[in-house]
Every structure is written in C-alpha cells, then in structure tokens.
Amino acid sequence: MNIHHTKHHQTYVGNINKAVEANDILKGKSIEELCAAASALPPECATVVRNSGGGHWNHTFFWQCMAAPGSTNGPSAELKAKIDASFGSIDEMKNKFNAAAAGRFGSGWAWLGQQEDGTLVITSTANQDNPLMAGIAEPCVPLLGLDVWEHAYYLKYQNRRPEYIANFWNVVNWDYVNGNLK
Amino acid sequence: MTSAVRRSAFSTSRAFSAAALPDLPYDYNALAPIISPEIMELHHKKHHAAYVTNFNIAMEKYADAEAKGDLAAMIALQGAIKFNGGGHVNHSIFWQNLAPVKDCAPPSGELASSIEADFGSLDAMITKFNGSAAGVQGSGWGWLGYNKETGKLQIATTANQDPCSTTGLVPLLGIDVWEHAYYLQYKNVRPDYLKAVWQVVNWSDVGARLAAAK
C-alpha cells in the first residue's frame, strides 16, 4: 500500500502536473475531463494524459474503492437488484469480474461499471486506460475498479494474481460502490 | 532444476511438438546481487512455466478448432497464442542473454564494431536502450535488434509479450521490463534495475545471435 501510494500514484500526479504546466491545451480541465478527452488530444499530450492522467484518476478511485475488512455493509438493495438483473447474482458478478481481472494480459484494470441505460457491465482496460476515455474504452460509469498491474500485488502475492483478486473482495468499500450508482 | 517437458496428444496431422520450459544455463543464485535468486526462481519456475503451459493449452485447442474447421474459435485463440507463445520465445532468449558477472566480457569483434558504428559507443547504446525501456508503459520488453534490410543495429520496445520479430528486427538482446522482472528487488525504480542489469549481459550470446542473423 505504501509504495503503491507514495511512489506509483505520486509519480502519476507529478507527471500529469508537469504535462498540464507544459501544455496550455490541458489547462483548466478536471482530471475527469482530461481522461474523457484523451483520445482527441494531440499526440504529444495524448500519451501522458492517458498514462499519467489515467493513472492519477484510477488510483484516486481505487483508494476509495477499498476499506478495512468488514468495515462496510455490502451492496445496497438498489445495487444488489441491479447486479442480479445484469449478472444473475452477486456471485456470478464476482466470477465475471475475477475472470476479467485474471484475464487482463499485462498491466491494466478490471471494472464494474454502469452503462447509460442503467445496466451493469464488467470490462477490463490496458495500462492506465479507464472507462472515462471515450474512443479508448467501453464507456460506462465506474462503480468499482481493481488494479491488476503487478506492482499492485507482487510483494505479497508474487505471480499469484488470482489469489490477490479473490482476496480483494474482503476490502471492497461497498458504501463507496453503492454511492457510485447513478 | 528440471525441465517441465510436456507431451500432449495433438490430434493434428501437423508436426507441432509441445513447447518445453528450458533449463536456465546457471543456478537461480548465479545473477545475484544484480538479480536476486528469489526473482530468478519465480520468473523461471512460475512466470515462464505458465507461458509454456498456457501456450501448449492454446495450441491444443487451436488444433481441435482447426480440425473442426471452426474459424471463429481459431481466431479467438490467437491472442492467447501470441501472449503465451511470445512469453515463451522472449524468456527463452532472455535467460541466454544473461550470465553470471564473472562470465560476462565486453562486446568484441563484429558486435563491438556494429555497436560503435550504429550508436557511437557502448555507453551511448545503453543510454538509448535504457531510455526506451524505462519509457515502456505498463508491461513489455526493451530490445537490441538487428535490421536485416539496413544491416544496422536498432533499439526497439514491445508491449506485453509481443516478440521482437513484431518490430521487424532480429532479437539480439532483450531486457524484460514487466514489473515481475524486478519488483521484489528494485520496487518501482525500474531505472535502477536497468542501470544494474548490464552487469549480467552475456555479450558473447548477443554476438552469436548477430553472427547468426547476418
């Protein structure tokens, strides 16, 4: 957690700030707006926004997606209903999420998201791409995300990514996920 | 160390033999302190072994799909073949590219003159290589490759387990910059790993690959 926050996330913050300072076209935009615009930016900005802007948004979101084990209450009735409607059950949703997380080759993220029509989806993205990035990822409102870059789990789980993924559910902050629902 | 040799019953007329995990040419502790024994063992026994296993599984499924004429399935399997086959190809080169410090001598002969001709000096080549390799976003590899058309050495990077051949170059030297290659020892400081790793580069293997490519 320490290295992930103080080194990796910190580096993304430093890099995106440097990029914004150096490129007027990026100024005056929120991090969400930068991510949404990533695919349309000129090449010299697009890469850093995608990697470091995405990295900053993703990790900020990720920290909020987690809480001490047992400290939150689980999916709200509203979220549970949507999960059941979209996947059949919470367990089915978890199976699908776990498969997406384990199956993301290389670095990336797994997401539980909500589409415009209200249905829930599970997707994964490469590197620091996220569902806010129109034209890059399948659009949805992120409800829950899981970092599957090796740096997120290697010190504790080494190559055993599936074990990391399975244990992730113990620290999911359901209050936050519930609140992300539109 | 024993190789995990897998013989599969491929029901195909094509002569595909299952991939096998190659032995390392040295012990797991041979590259310490540049690359720790723990990293070497995990990297070989777990990561590379998994690529071999999953490549063989994908190829078996591919043979089945091909026998059934199931083109959709064949296409769907190509990602897994590329990931895992590439992982096997890349790591097989990597283990040979490295050697214990005591067995590493500087580049000589044609390799040395090519490096000088195409980069100015060994240091200049390393600086360029490390710049590219450090800049790989996410997982991938840094490569020193040979361009058959121009006859020159070139630096390239590939994402994930894409083999060097996808850049059009013949691989001479690959440095794995997936986090699993260095994280336990160097943590997030990939540049430190890149600075150190040159101490265990087996230039005679690199030179042999160049000679073979020419």
Side-chain angles (χ1 to χ4, degrees), chain A residues 6-25:
Chain A
T6 63
K7 306 287 180 189
H8 291 276
H9 189 178
Q10 179 68 76
T11 300
Y12 291 128
V13 171
N15 288 343
I16 191 63
N17 281 340
K18 248 189 284 179
V20 170
E21 259 210 64
N23 294 281
D24 284 344
I25 194 179

Side-chain angles (χ1 to χ4, degrees), chain B residues 34 126 130 186 189-199:
Chain B
I34 311 303
I126 290 175
N130 285 353
Y186 296 91
V189 196
R190 190 192 284 178
D192 280 359
Y193 159 68
L194 288 170
K195 242 185 288 176
V197 78
W198 296 96
Q199 296 174 68

Side-chain angles (χ1 to χ4, degrees), chain A residues 24-38:
Chain A
D24 284 344
I25 194 179
L26 302 180
K27 291 192 166 76
K29 289 186 163 64
S30 69
I31 192 68
E32 287 80 8
E33 286 167 332
L34 288 177
C35 287

Side-chain angles (χ1 to χ4, degrees), chain B residues 28-44:
Chain B
Y28 289 134
N29 59 13
L31 307 187
I34 311 303
I35 305 179
S36 71
E38 197 188 357
I39 288 180
M40 291 305 293
E41 186 165 359
L42 280 164
H43 206 171
H44 179 246

